[in-house]
Amino acid sequence: MLRALIFDVDGTLADTESAHRAAFNYAFSEFGLDWHWDDAQYTALLEISGGKERILHYWRARQPELRELGATALQDAVNRLHELKTAAYGAAVNQGEVALRPGVLALMEAAMAQGLQLAIATTTSPVNIAALLRRAMGPDWRLNFTAIGDASTAPIKKPHPQVYLQMLAALGLDASHCLAFEDSANGLRAATAAGLSTLVTPTRYTAHHDFSGAVQVLPSLTGVDLAQLRHWHAQAQQPGVTRQPALA
């Protein structure tokens, strides 16, 4: 029986990556760096989960030895860059530049009306989650979710299943009673490693990923109802079923 829906945030609840990319570039400029991530470069960098991890990966790729900065100074610089980026992203959300993807809110409302629990499993920061969902769902948005896992609670980023395992424990449910929602290969790998059946809605940044193992791969959640979710979930629980994602 399907008893809970567990959602990723960036790319899944909302197509946030263009706003994130612009916020990173703003932070680089404010920090006095000549870095600029274009679409192609940012798409490649999304293979690295986590904003701070992404900055550090890029910095080391540009300057492998980083002789002029010690370990503490380097981490301080990364933290400051991420603070600037987070503030810029929050401002973009507050100005209405980011909205939930089609079908997301309707599906959440239907799930809550029928007694299903909702949870979030993401690598993004609590500040980013709050900015997005406060605007989309109102000041009491947190009350809609039984549990929230994020960068502050799960330091080991996807594709590691840490955040999903935490959410299953918080929900008090076996993975067979839950359905995960993701947009990327790293997210899919994390969810399936935790034993979760997973539905994927890619974005233009992740459409090229390998989604083998997903229950379904759909362009969005528009028109998807709980009856369909229950059917796909039940199919996925049958022994020996091979999951073949097909973009509808």
Side-chain angles (χ1 to χ4, degrees):
M1 181 183 296
L2 182 59
R3 297 175 60 186
L5 308 181
I6 308 176
F7 292 89
D8 171 53
V9 175
D10 289 322
T12 303
L13 290 186
D15 194 349
T16 58
E17 298 302 355
S18 292
H20 279 302
R21 183 177 72 85
F24 276 115
N25 287 333
Y26 171 83
F28 301 152
S29 177
E30 286 293 296
F31 203 73
L33 296 170
D34 63 352
W35 304 351
H36 181 86
W37 292 349
D38 61 20
D39 253 6
Q41 193 166 42
Y42 189 65
T43 298
L45 285 167
L46 286 175
E47 300 294 331
I48 308 299
S49 295
K52 292 180 183 180
E53 291 81 359
R54 205 167 293 142
I55 293 169
L56 188 57
H57 172 85
Y58 180 75
W59 203 336
R60 284 178 170 159
R62 282 180 60 100
Q63 195 175 346
E65 296 181 5
L66 289 175
R67 289 179 178 173
E68 77 283 7
L69 289 176
T72 300
L74 176 59
Q75 192 57 56
D76 287 346
V78 170
N79 289 343
R80 179 56 182 155
L81 277 167
H82 196 259
E83 287 173 1
L84 290 168
K85 178 262 171 184
T86 298
Y89 174 78
V93 172
N94 291 333
Q95 291 165 12
E97 296 177 22
V98 180
L100 296 186
R101 291 184 67 180
V104 167
L105 189 56
L107 187 59
M108 284 183 167
E109 290 174 343
M112 289 187 289
Q114 295 193 30
L116 274 70
Q117 297 185 78
L118 301 181
I120 286 174
T122 181
T123 59
T124 199
S125 69
V127 173
N128 287 347
I129 300 168
L132 175 67
L133 292 180
R134 186 185 302 114
R135 183 173 181 87
M137 304 179 79
D140 296 328
W141 66 271
R142 180 65 180 79
L143 300 177
N144 298 310
F145 298 91
T146 303
I148 294 177
D150 53 47
S152 69
T153 66
I156 308 176
K157 302 297 191 293
K158 299 172 184 178
H160 194 280
Q162 183 182 49
V163 70
Y164 278 110
L165 294 172
Q166 288 179 349
M167 291 304 92
L168 290 173
L171 291 167
L173 294 174
D174 186 82
S176 63
H177 294 299
C178 305
L179 184 64
F181 295 79
E182 279 286 353
D183 74 298
S184 69
N186 275 347
L188 173 62
R189 287 168 61 194
T192 55
L196 287 156
S197 302
T198 308
L199 188 152
V200 175
T201 52
T203 69
R204 66 189 179 95
Y205 287 101
T206 61
H208 62 288
H209 290 188
D210 179 5
F211 296 122
S212 299
V215 171
Q216 289 286 317
V217 181
L218 305 172
S220 75
L221 294 176
T222 301
V224 175
D225 59 27
L226 287 179
Q228 288 174 304
L229 291 187
R230 289 191 173 101
H231 174 69
W232 293 329
H233 177 261
Q235 282 188 320
Q237 305 312 306
Q238 295 175 12
V241 172
T242 301
R243 300 169 184 171
Q244 295 292 338
L247 192 62

